[in-house]
Amino acid sequence: MADDREKSEAAKREEATLVFWERERIFEKSLAKKSPKGTFVFYDGPPFATGLPHYGHIVASVIKDAVPRYWTMRGYHVPRVWGWDCHGLPIENIVEKELGFKHKKDIKKYGVAKFNERCREQVLIYVDYWKKFIPRIGRWVDMENAYLTMDKSFMESVWWVFKQIYDKGLVYEDYRSMHICPRCETTLSQQEVAEGYKDVKDISVTVRFKVKDPEKFELPANTSLLAWTTTPWTLPGNVALAIGKDISYVLIRENENDYYISSETYAGPVLMASGAFIKKIKGTDLVGLEYEPPFDYYIKDTTLKNRENGWKVYAADFVTVDTGTGIAHEAPAFGADDWELSKKVNLPFVQHVNMDGTMKSEVKDFVGREVKPRSDDDSVRLGTDIAVLKYLQEHGSLFSKENITHAYPHCWRCDTPLLNYATSSWFVAVTKIKGDMLKNAKAIHWSPAHIKEGRWGKWLEGARDWSISRQRFWASVIPLWRCDSCKKIRVFGSVAELEAASGKKVNDLHKHIVDEIAVPCDCGAQMHRVPDVLDTWFDSGSMPYGEEHYPFEHKERFEKTFPAQFIAEGIDQTRAWFYYLHVFGSALFGKNVFRNVIVNGTVVAEDGKKMSKRLQNYPDPIQVVEKYGADALRLYLLSSPVVQAENLSFSESGVDEVAKKNIGRLSNVLAFYKLYEEGTERARTSTNILDRWILARLFELVIETTNGYETYALDRAMRPLSLFIDDYSAWYVRRSRDRFKENGADKKEALATLRYVLYTLSTVIAPAMPFIAEEVFQGIRNANDPESVHLTDWPKAQEKSFFGGRKEKKLIAEMARVRALASEALQARQKAGIKVRQPLATLTIPVTLTDELIQILAEEVNVKKVIVGETLALDIVLTPELIKEGDERELARAVAEARKVEGFSPHDTVRTETRAEGKHSATLSTGVMRFDLIRNAA
Ligand SMILES: [Zn+2]
Ligand SMILES: [Zn+2]
């Protein structure tokens, strides 16, 4: 963090407040304070410590701070414990890079145990920075007792969760086509895949599949079936073609010798009307046709199982005429639909690509080639597709090719293009409990509300079974042992169970440890763990149980406080953390895991683009904090659309404006109060109209902010704050200024009211702006008050005499009208070029007001008289009397200014001496007057 010279005064004052909180242990005291309403449970989604905090973390953190602070003030005990997400690809990729590894093989060569221990050492490298940064933005959370997803206790709870859902029949193993990352060599979940779609260039090809024995089907010699694909690299794995039964196909003469078959749609009306058109063919008539594949590596293999079913035409429901030729190329190892069809009709299984994305040795023309390498260079990324295309061209199999741009999934961690790949994986049968999940979800309150049926609801409805196995290393493991001989399965739900079964002490549940532990099977053979580890989201979804080491510890406490009142995260988590929490809540207890959730949007750069370290298109968060203070950043974020799950284009000038309009003004009011205070107790009994008005506004503020917090609509809790601070500083204090200067009963009332408002306001702003709240509170607190604003109670909003009282509402409306009239009149002044200090004779207004309000308006606009007329009009005729008075006022202002410059207190009496070389000046109607200010002897 920067040195002191770069810090603003506001930032330095915040740092002093931090010292005070820490020294007096205010956070701990706020947790220990009386909580008549019980416990308010908040679950904190753990961030990865493998990077520095960014604006996304800051938004979530600020929300996760303001809400618990509010409920603490409302009389709840709100425990807040930090967590660290430690497992998974993010840290594995960092260690791989550090060790210079390119492939998964490198890890195996290096040794899984060594690799995992390296991950354990490296995963918390940024923790110290976070531990400084998070408190600096004013977030109160216990980071010392943070839970770690790599702790044995957390991992044991994960085992418990796994066993529970396994025992309920919600876990199964299946072999199917799914997305893998060939670089990470692992399967990915639906959500991970959804995360990585990007528009990329690809090549689509239309390929000839030459019909065998065409005469048998009354077709001319040299007839080909045309099939279209955007993944040319899958063509060596072709084992069938699929058509639609109800699709209309046509036979077309291409030239003297060649004919082809495609859908009527593909051939097009022009061709259909020409002499090239031979005849129409029904889809059903194509079924059973045999063809010669463009690549013959597998058709020649006589040992291949189900070979007799291969390289034929089948009917399938998924074939459409929307894109391509109406004939689909089937490579069951590389597509979900293809895989389903192959199971139905027993196609031979051909997988010509290894899991690392390279072509196998039998594909002799392309052996070892990566089918979709990661590269920014299209010629590298598409290298294999282009090679396949050339081969097709040379062998007369290429009908046409086209460049296309389409959305293609990439690895969310390493950016490698994903492959559709048939492999074995363990699944959670989410579809089995989907009904319950949808039913339970009805009771969850979302902010903003549209997420409930929108992004979240739609994802829930589309939920599919969750692929939980990862073929990786540093993660929680699947606690499932299988017999080497009889294949019997045993699932362990605790360390004790595994220890009892194996007779070994188990100190750590990571892969490299537990994979060494064999368990004897009833059949006499040995059981070993299945090699897969768990998707990291399995950890995240287990967070409520892992944090408490449930059910091994804190059983009663957990059960009493489950589910959480509140969680908050970014919008991407609707498909991730929120979702996985909900899967387990429904699977384990048939319950929701959280009752209220705030979803925040994404912070993007000021130009609307993604924030990019490389482009440096956004200011460093810590610099923003040190320039404007954390409170300014907090209020800026909390009152922005980002708390409504919308994107926020981050604007540094926006933070600056919030700082000036709110924190700056509040500091000024506090300084003003301190200048005049005389130990007057705070009170709200004044009868002065300005006092009555600001008190009415204050209670209106309490009602509005309370409603905002109660409904988790933070922007609604924030918006009234700035409006109030404007009313308070730019109207109440300014219009009351003279009242403080003259001793007497009115000054006392003004001071008592000012102090009362400062006190209440400090409590209302405390959740959002904890620093300035503390500063104001410390400036006006009584000896009997709690030692910190964060130990006070939320102001009560039910007092009949103020809230919703008709008189107060009327006064608020009238004063708003006065402010509007004043601003209109001042604009008229500006237009006429007459400064405010120059009194004018009359202001005509089109409404009637009480005498009290007329007087306030007259003072603000600086007119002798306010009269009622047709429209608003300012009399701008200057009489000699008015000019004289204007000069007097100008001089008075200059003297007041000079007093400030000289550092005189309000108690000092002074006189002016006019001198040509005087230090101060006043611009009068007669010209500039220079003078010195002399303090009278006491
Ligand atoms: Zn990857
Ligand atoms: Zn066995």
Side-chain angles (χ1 to χ4, degrees), residues 206-211 219-227 249-255 257-272 274 276-281 286 289 324-325 327 397-400:
T206 304
V207 184
R208 293 177 215 274
F209 292 78
K210 207 166 167 227
V211 177
L219 292 169
N222 289 331
T223 299
S224 294
L225 294 148
L226 297 189
Y249 294 89
V250 289
L251 178 66
I252 301 285
R253 186 208 301 267
E254 195 185 345
N255 52 43
N257 303 316
D258 298 312
Y259 297 81
Y260 69 77
I261 295 168
S262 76
S263 70
E264 195 178 324
T265 318
Y266 179 78
V270 176
L271 217 51
M272 292 286 295
S274 75
F277 168 69
I278 307 294
K279 63 171 175 178
K280 288 198 185 193
I281 305 173
L286 294 173
L289 228 72
T325 59
I327 302 174
S397 303
L398 184 70
F399 181 79
S400 67

Side-chain angles (χ1 to χ4, degrees), residues 55 90 138 141 162 229 276 302 321 342 371 450-451 470 533 584 657 770 784 810-811 901:
Y55 283 100
V141 56
F162 185 92
T229 178
T302 51
V321 293
S342 87
V371 299
H450 65 80
I451 303 279
R470 296 291 175 273
V533 297
F584 286 157
E657 195 185 317
N784 305 332
K810 189 164 167 243
L811 178 54
V901 172

Side-chain angles (χ1 to χ4, degrees), residues 5 71 135 142 199 358 366 453-454 582 719 727 848 853 877:
R5 279 164 306 170
W71 291 100
D142 180 0
D199 277 343
T358 57
F366 308 99
E453 301 297 339
H582 192 64
R719 238 176 277 132
D727 271 351
T848 47
L853 291 169
V877 176

Side-chain angles (χ1 to χ4, degrees), residues 588-650:
L588 296 170
F589 306 111
K591 267 191 188 175
N592 284 326
V593 174
F594 47 91
R595 293 195 164 103
N596 300 286
V597 49
I598 296 180
V599 182
N600 67 263
T602 309
V603 183
V604 296
E606 190 154 15
D607 56 9
K609 293 199 180 111
K610 210 173 152 186
M611 283 186 167
S612 150
K613 252 190 215 146
R614 192 173 51 83
L615 297 175
Q616 295 194 316
N617 57 355
Y618 65 95
D620 181 3
I622 192 67
Q623 274 169 15
V624 170
V625 168
E626 290 178 346
K627 207 160 155 191
Y628 307 101
D631 275 351
L633 179 58
R634 289 172 68 113
L635 186 63
Y636 171 74
L637 295 172
L638 289 173
S639 44
S640 82
V642 82
V643 299
Q644 280 286 324
E646 282 165 38
N647 277 6
L648 168 67
S649 300
F650 187 85

Side-chain angles (χ1 to χ4, degrees), residues 323-538:
T323 46
T325 59
I327 302 174
H329 137 66
E330 296 299 295
F334 308 99
D337 286 338
D338 311 34
W339 176 249
E340 290 307 316
L341 176 70
S342 87
K343 276 204 299 193
K344 221 162 89 188
V345 302
N346 292 322
L347 293 176
F349 183 69
V350 164
Q351 195 161 38
H352 68 290
V353 176
N354 294 302
M355 192 131 170
D356 66 0
T358 57
M359 295 263 198
K360 288 184 179 166
S361 56
E362 59 263 33
V363 192
K364 53 182 193 302
D365 300 279
F366 308 99
V367 54
R369 282 196 85 120
E370 279 186 71
V371 299
K372 273 278 162 182
R374 181 196 149 179
S375 175
D376 294 332
D377 182 345
D378 283 347
S379 68
V380 175
R381 195 170 49 82
L382 299 173
T384 300
D385 286 336
I386 293 165
V388 167
L389 201 132
K390 276 196 183 135
Y391 180 98
L392 295 171
Q393 203 156 28
E394 283 159 16
H395 292 77
S397 303
L398 184 70
F399 181 79
S400 67
K401 66 170 171 115
E402 211 182 330
N403 292 323
I404 55 161
T405 299
H406 64 163
Y408 191 89
H410 293 74
C411 179
W412 66 286
R413 276 320 302 176
C414 75
D415 217 26
T416 302
L418 302 183
L419 304 181
N420 226 313
Y421 196 88
T423 185
S424 163
S425 177
W426 290 86
F427 293 86
V428 171
V430 177
T431 45
K432 272 197 191 170
I433 52 165
K434 200 159 102 177
D436 278 353
M437 282 167 58
L438 285 164
K439 201 172 81 210
N440 296 337
K442 289 204 172 86
I444 300 172
H445 173 249
W446 290 83
S447 175
H450 65 80
I451 303 279
K452 181 171 181 166
E453 301 297 339
R455 208 182 154 88
W456 157 264
K458 294 219 168 75
W459 185 256
L460 268 195
E461 271 165 28
R464 283 183 268 160
D465 287 355
W466 170 19
S467 153
I468 49 169
S469 20
R470 296 291 175 273
Q471 295 73 41
R472 297 295 302 182
F473 311 98
W474 179 243
S476 276
V477 301
I478 295 186
L480 191 150
W481 270 248
R482 182 150 48 192
C483 176
D484 302 340
S485 162
C486 75
K487 304 295 169 201
K488 195 179 138 185
I489 281 172
R490 256 188 97 170
V491 172
F492 295 104
S494 70
V495 172
E497 287 169 45
L498 179 61
E499 285 181 342
S502 66
K504 291 212 174 90
K505 183 95 190 104
V506 181
N507 292 319
D508 185 341
L509 300 182
H510 284 97
K511 179 177 170 66
H512 58 294
I513 310 286
V514 291
D515 281 5
E516 302 302 314
I517 298 174
V519 173
C521 180
D522 297 339
C523 78
Q526 293 281 301
M527 301 179 111
H528 284 95
R529 199 185 69 78
V530 301
D532 291 359
V533 297
L534 282 166
D535 178 4
T536 309
W537 289 109
F538 205 102

